[in-house]
Amino acid sequence: MVTAIEKIKLIKEGKLTCEQNIKQLLANIEKDNQKGKKINAILHLNPRAVEEARVIDEKIKKKVKVGKLAGLGIIVKSNICVKNLIANCASKTLENYKCPYDARVIEKIKQEDGIILGMANMDEFAAGASGENSAFGITKNPASLERIPGGSSSGSAASVAAGFCDLALGSDTGGSIRNPASHCGVVGFKPSYGAVSRYGLIDLAMSLDQIGAITRDVKDAELLFEIISGVDEKDAASQEIKPKKPIQKKLIIGIPKVGANPKILNLISKKVEEVCKKNKWDTKNIEIKNIDLGIQTYYPINYVEFFSGTRKFDGRRFGLKIEDSCGKEVLRRIIGGSEISQEEFAGRYYKKALDAKKLLTEEFEKAFKSVDLIVIPAVPRLPHKFGEKISLIDMYNYDTLTVLANIAEIAAISVPCGKIQDVPVGLQLMAPRGSDWMLLEASEKFE
Ligand code: GLN
């Protein structure tokens, strides 16, 4: 499949018009989203997409300068606001919620003449790791149709894998960009905390969430990240990151011990060996204390912040009252979050989890004193098949290796690393907070 960067070249050389590109993507969606393979990755289309493409073609014809994304079709996770489109977070609670404004990332994409094609299916309110928690039906994995695509940015990753779009946006609280990217065989990049504005994101847990790119390759992720990143006065957590500059040193790749399917570990270690040999990089076995405490740290924070965030869905301001209209997993988090944030439990759960978060952050900082990057699998197991019953613990454990980067506020990416039983497997690289460009450049070598 053609990458976004290759498409831009074709458009520039006059070999492809924006209109042709958008019409082709819409035809792919028409063929396999609801019909054909029934991927069900997209909830709403932008009815003006073709018209918008024509406007850009007109500009090109008249030799008016166009933006860096001119004519590319972009699919957006349904929890990121796009003016006049529906962002319902795949929930009945917000079923008909039409956004009154553009999220900062969308504003930036539009400034660069990117075309929003539509809104992607997802786990309801981004709570989930399989794509099965949507109120509007499961999404299929285009790389392995009988298996889950991963989540919660299920529709965004599936759209890239199925050829429904050139680029996609997802959000990642504990793995929701990297996990589906890994299962669908595409690239998923979670930037450092604060590197991309969250203004206009309907977040799951504010201290963990980041918007990021899901793309066909790392270069495409760089293209989108360059546009959406940057400090924004509307997001108090947004921060400057280190500027882009070529890596000039020999990198040291840190390898901590983690639990995962041995076949996955084997695939990853072979790839690391190969890449390090080729680039004359070093590897180093490292220990990160309490690396196995990610899930226990992540969930209390997630539950409490989500509960607090959902108080605005009271049936008066937006949509329906959430408790009356949401699915099982969302309700579990509301009840759980309300319970553990009661005054009588003060200091027992949320506060403890915040202490553990600080501890893990320090452990990663320590590790990055002796290595440049850390490598582990993105997901410790293969995605399950539809209909397979899996326990809540197993479901939560899908994210044991991705939550770490959100907890430590660092940058992380999942890059396709091969297949096991015909199912894609992602290799995860992590870099210190703010070293996003170094991470991206190094990741290119793993493709
Ligand atoms: N699967 C995790 C959860 O359910 C992560 C979700 C996410 O990153 N949005 O919370």
Side-chain angles (χ1 to χ4, degrees), residues 60-79:
I60 295 175
K61 227 159 92 199
K62 290 188 182 137
K63 305 229 155 35
V64 177
K65 194 172 179 299
V66 289
K68 291 187 186 126
L69 300 177
L72 297 183
I74 295 141
I75 288 287
V76 179
K77 188 174 182 179
S78 181
N79 61 354

PDB file of all heavy atoms in Angstrom, residues 60-79:
ATOM      1  N   ILE A  60      -3.985  23.977  -6.292  1.00  0.00           N
ATOM      2  CA  ILE A  60      -2.794  23.427  -6.948  1.00  0.00           C
ATOM      3  C   ILE A  60      -2.749  23.893  -8.408  1.00  0.00           C
ATOM      4  O   ILE A  60      -1.709  24.303  -8.915  1.00  0.00           O
ATOM      5  CB  ILE A  60      -2.759  21.877  -6.848  1.00  0.00           C
ATOM      6  CG1 ILE A  60      -2.611  21.450  -5.386  1.00  0.00           C
ATOM      7  CG2 ILE A  60      -1.621  21.289  -7.693  1.00  0.00           C
ATOM      8  CD1 ILE A  60      -2.672  19.953  -5.131  1.00  0.00           C
ATOM      9  N   LYS A  61      -3.923  23.839  -9.030  1.00  0.00           N
ATOM     10  CA  LYS A  61      -4.018  24.253 -10.434  1.00  0.00           C
ATOM     11  C   LYS A  61      -3.600  25.714 -10.616  1.00  0.00           C
ATOM     12  O   LYS A  61      -2.906  26.064 -11.568  1.00  0.00           O
ATOM     13  CB  LYS A  61      -5.465  24.062 -10.927  1.00  0.00           C
ATOM     14  CG  LYS A  61      -5.488  23.360 -12.281  1.00  0.00           C
ATOM     15  CD  LYS A  61      -6.789  22.702 -12.597  1.00  0.00           C
ATOM     16  CE  LYS A  61      -7.773  23.538 -13.365  1.00  0.00           C
ATOM     17  NZ  LYS A  61      -9.151  22.982 -13.217  1.00  0.00           N
ATOM     18  N   LYS A  62      -4.016  26.527  -9.664  1.00  0.00           N
ATOM     19  CA  LYS A  62      -3.699  27.954  -9.758  1.00  0.00           C
ATOM     20  C   LYS A  62      -2.328  28.282  -9.178  1.00  0.00           C
ATOM     21  O   LYS A  62      -2.001  29.450  -8.966  1.00  0.00           O
ATOM     22  CB  LYS A  62      -4.769  28.756  -9.021  1.00  0.00           C
ATOM     23  CG  LYS A  62      -6.104  28.740  -9.724  1.00  0.00           C
ATOM     24  CD  LYS A  62      -7.060  29.718  -9.055  1.00  0.00           C
ATOM     25  CE  LYS A  62      -8.416  29.690  -9.709  1.00  0.00           C
ATOM     26  NZ  LYS A  62      -9.508  29.719  -8.700  1.00  0.00           N
ATOM     27  N   LYS A  63      -1.578  27.241  -8.832  1.00  0.00           N
ATOM     28  CA  LYS A  63      -0.233  27.395  -8.260  1.00  0.00           C
ATOM     29  C   LYS A  63      -0.220  28.182  -6.938  1.00  0.00           C
ATOM     30  O   LYS A  63       0.766  28.835  -6.593  1.00  0.00           O
ATOM     31  CB  LYS A  63       0.727  28.052  -9.277  1.00  0.00           C
ATOM     32  CG  LYS A  63       0.815  27.326 -10.614  1.00  0.00           C
ATOM     33  CD  LYS A  63       2.266  27.110 -11.001  1.00  0.00           C
ATOM     34  CE  LYS A  63       2.547  25.958 -11.923  1.00  0.00           C
ATOM     35  NZ  LYS A  63       1.595  25.608 -12.959  1.00  0.00           N
ATOM     36  N   VAL A  64      -1.327  28.111  -6.228  1.00  0.00           N
ATOM     37  CA  VAL A  64      -1.359  28.708  -4.878  1.00  0.00           C
ATOM     38  C   VAL A  64      -0.678  27.696  -3.954  1.00  0.00           C
ATOM     39  O   VAL A  64      -0.861  26.494  -4.113  1.00  0.00           O
ATOM     40  CB  VAL A  64      -2.827  28.934  -4.419  1.00  0.00           C
ATOM     41  CG1 VAL A  64      -2.883  29.469  -2.996  1.00  0.00           C
ATOM     42  CG2 VAL A  64      -3.551  29.854  -5.384  1.00  0.00           C
ATOM     43  N   LYS A  65       0.098  28.188  -3.010  1.00  0.00           N
ATOM     44  CA  LYS A  65       0.831  27.287  -2.113  1.00  0.00           C
ATOM     45  C   LYS A  65      -0.148  26.442  -1.283  1.00  0.00           C
ATOM     46  O   LYS A  65      -1.127  26.963  -0.744  1.00  0.00           O
ATOM     47  CB  LYS A  65       1.712  28.115  -1.183  1.00  0.00           C
ATOM     48  CG  LYS A  65       2.750  27.279  -0.458  1.00  0.00           C
ATOM     49  CD  LYS A  65       3.730  28.168   0.300  1.00  0.00           C
ATOM     50  CE  LYS A  65       4.762  27.395   1.061  1.00  0.00           C
ATOM     51  NZ  LYS A  65       4.348  26.502   2.081  1.00  0.00           N
ATOM     52  N   VAL A  66       0.101  25.160  -1.221  1.00  0.00           N
ATOM     53  CA  VAL A  66      -0.760  24.288  -0.402  1.00  0.00           C
ATOM     54  C   VAL A  66       0.025  23.736   0.789  1.00  0.00           C
ATOM     55  O   VAL A  66       1.257  23.772   0.808  1.00  0.00           O
ATOM     56  CB  VAL A  66      -1.364  23.115  -1.222  1.00  0.00           C
ATOM     57  CG1 VAL A  66      -2.411  23.620  -2.186  1.00  0.00           C
ATOM     58  CG2 VAL A  66      -0.290  22.322  -1.930  1.00  0.00           C
ATOM     59  N   GLY A  67      -0.718  23.203   1.765  1.00  0.00           N
ATOM     60  CA  GLY A  67      -0.103  22.713   3.002  1.00  0.00           C
ATOM     61  C   GLY A  67       0.584  21.363   2.844  1.00  0.00           C
ATOM     62  O   GLY A  67       0.498  20.713   1.799  1.00  0.00           O
ATOM     63  N   LYS A  68       1.220  20.943   3.948  1.00  0.00           N
ATOM     64  CA  LYS A  68       2.025  19.709   3.925  1.00  0.00           C
ATOM     65  C   LYS A  68       1.195  18.435   3.845  1.00  0.00           C
ATOM     66  O   LYS A  68       1.731  17.355   3.604  1.00  0.00           O
ATOM     67  CB  LYS A  68       2.869  19.642   5.203  1.00  0.00           C
ATOM     68  CG  LYS A  68       3.976  20.680   5.255  1.00  0.00           C
ATOM     69  CD  LYS A  68       4.867  20.428   6.465  1.00  0.00           C
ATOM     70  CE  LYS A  68       5.879  21.537   6.613  1.00  0.00           C
ATOM     71  NZ  LYS A  68       5.847  22.158   7.942  1.00  0.00           N
ATOM     72  N   LEU A  69      -0.107  18.546   4.098  1.00  0.00           N
ATOM     73  CA  LEU A  69      -0.947  17.336   4.033  1.00  0.00           C
ATOM     74  C   LEU A  69      -1.936  17.415   2.870  1.00  0.00           C
ATOM     75  O   LEU A  69      -2.931  16.696   2.846  1.00  0.00           O
ATOM     76  CB  LEU A  69      -1.727  17.167   5.347  1.00  0.00           C
ATOM     77  CG  LEU A  69      -0.914  17.014   6.635  1.00  0.00           C
ATOM     78  CD1 LEU A  69      -1.846  16.935   7.838  1.00  0.00           C
ATOM     79  CD2 LEU A  69      -0.037  15.766   6.593  1.00  0.00           C
ATOM     80  N   ALA A  70      -1.623  18.288   1.921  1.00  0.00           N
ATOM     81  CA  ALA A  70      -2.588  18.578   0.853  1.00  0.00           C
ATOM     82  C   ALA A  70      -3.159  17.322   0.211  1.00  0.00           C
ATOM     83  O   ALA A  70      -2.437  16.528  -0.388  1.00  0.00           O
ATOM     84  CB  ALA A  70      -1.937  19.458  -0.214  1.00  0.00           C
ATOM     85  N   GLY A  71      -4.466  17.152   0.364  1.00  0.00           N
ATOM     86  CA  GLY A  71      -5.167  16.077  -0.327  1.00  0.00           C
ATOM     87  C   GLY A  71      -5.151  14.723   0.357  1.00  0.00           C
ATOM     88  O   GLY A  71      -5.724  13.771  -0.156  1.00  0.00           O
ATOM     89  N   LEU A  72      -4.514  14.615   1.529  1.00  0.00           N
ATOM     90  CA  LEU A  72      -4.502  13.320   2.215  1.00  0.00           C
ATOM     91  C   LEU A  72      -5.796  13.137   3.003  1.00  0.00           C
ATOM     92  O   LEU A  72      -6.351  14.087   3.548  1.00  0.00           O
ATOM     93  CB  LEU A  72      -3.308  13.226   3.171  1.00  0.00           C
ATOM     94  CG  LEU A  72      -1.916  13.281   2.542  1.00  0.00           C
ATOM     95  CD1 LEU A  72      -0.851  13.103   3.620  1.00  0.00           C
ATOM     96  CD2 LEU A  72      -1.749  12.207   1.470  1.00  0.00           C
ATOM     97  N   GLY A  73      -6.258  11.897   3.079  1.00  0.00           N
ATOM     98  CA  GLY A  73      -7.482  11.580   3.815  1.00  0.00           C
ATOM     99  C   GLY A  73      -7.152  11.068   5.210  1.00  0.00           C
ATOM    100  O   GLY A  73      -6.385  10.110   5.364  1.00  0.00           O
ATOM    101  N   ILE A  74      -7.748  11.696   6.212  1.00  0.00           N
ATOM    102  CA  ILE A  74      -7.403  11.367   7.596  1.00  0.00           C
ATOM    103  C   ILE A  74      -8.632  10.903   8.367  1.00  0.00           C
ATOM    104  O   ILE A  74      -9.696  11.534   8.317  1.00  0.00           O
ATOM    105  CB  ILE A  74      -6.762  12.599   8.278  1.00  0.00           C
ATOM    106  CG1 ILE A  74      -5.437  12.897   7.565  1.00  0.00           C
ATOM    107  CG2 ILE A  74      -6.498  12.362   9.763  1.00  0.00           C
ATOM    108  CD1 ILE A  74      -5.155  14.325   7.382  1.00  0.00           C
ATOM    109  N   ILE A  75      -8.479   9.780   9.056  1.00  0.00           N
ATOM    110  CA  ILE A  75      -9.553   9.260   9.903  1.00  0.00           C
ATOM    111  C   ILE A  75      -9.236   9.612  11.356  1.00  0.00           C
ATOM    112  O   ILE A  75      -8.106   9.475  11.809  1.00  0.00           O
ATOM    113  CB  ILE A  75      -9.688   7.727   9.714  1.00  0.00           C
ATOM    114  CG1 ILE A  75     -10.300   7.398   8.343  1.00  0.00           C
ATOM    115  CG2 ILE A  75     -10.497   7.098  10.833  1.00  0.00           C
ATOM    116  CD1 ILE A  75     -11.778   7.696   8.189  1.00  0.00           C
ATOM    117  N   VAL A  76     -10.256  10.078  12.069  1.00  0.00           N
ATOM    118  CA  VAL A  76     -10.072  10.601  13.426  1.00  0.00           C
ATOM    119  C   VAL A  76     -10.851   9.758  14.428  1.00  0.00           C
ATOM    120  O   VAL A  76     -12.033   9.446  14.196  1.00  0.00           O
ATOM    121  CB  VAL A  76     -10.574  12.066  13.468  1.00  0.00           C
ATOM    122  CG1 VAL A  76     -10.437  12.663  14.858  1.00  0.00           C
ATOM    123  CG2 VAL A  76      -9.841  12.924  12.442  1.00  0.00           C
ATOM    124  N   LYS A  77     -10.206   9.400  15.516  1.00  0.00           N
ATOM    125  CA  LYS A  77     -10.894   8.644  16.570  1.00  0.00           C
ATOM    126  C   LYS A  77     -12.091   9.456  17.069  1.00  0.00           C
ATOM    127  O   LYS A  77     -11.996  10.679  17.206  1.00  0.00           O
ATOM    128  CB  LYS A  77      -9.912   8.365  17.713  1.00  0.00           C
ATOM    129  CG  LYS A  77     -10.421   7.436  18.799  1.00  0.00           C
ATOM    130  CD  LYS A  77      -9.306   7.122  19.794  1.00  0.00           C
ATOM    131  CE  LYS A  77      -9.746   6.146  20.873  1.00  0.00           C
ATOM    132  NZ  LYS A  77      -8.642   5.837  21.807  1.00  0.00           N
ATOM    133  N   SER A  78     -13.159   8.779  17.359  1.00  0.00           N
ATOM    134  CA  SER A  78     -14.414   9.471  17.681  1.00  0.00           C
ATOM    135  C   SER A  78     -14.426  10.170  19.044  1.00  0.00           C
ATOM    136  O   SER A  78     -15.480  10.575  19.536  1.00  0.00           O
ATOM    137  CB  SER A  78     -15.573   8.477  17.578  1.00  0.00           C
ATOM    138  OG  SER A  78     -16.780   9.108  17.851  1.00  0.00           O
ATOM    139  N   ASN A  79     -13.257  10.352  19.671  1.00  0.00           N
ATOM    140  CA  ASN A  79     -13.216  11.153  20.906  1.00  0.00           C
ATOM    141  C   ASN A  79     -12.425  12.450  20.702  1.00  0.00           C
ATOM    142  O   ASN A  79     -12.028  13.107  21.655  1.00  0.00           O
ATOM    143  CB  ASN A  79     -12.628  10.347  22.076  1.00  0.00           C
ATOM    144  CG  ASN A  79     -11.200   9.887  21.824  1.00  0.00           C
ATOM    145  OD1 ASN A  79     -10.654  10.060  20.727  1.00  0.00           O
ATOM    146  ND2 ASN A  79     -10.576   9.308  22.827  1.00  0.00           N
TER     147      ASN A  79
END
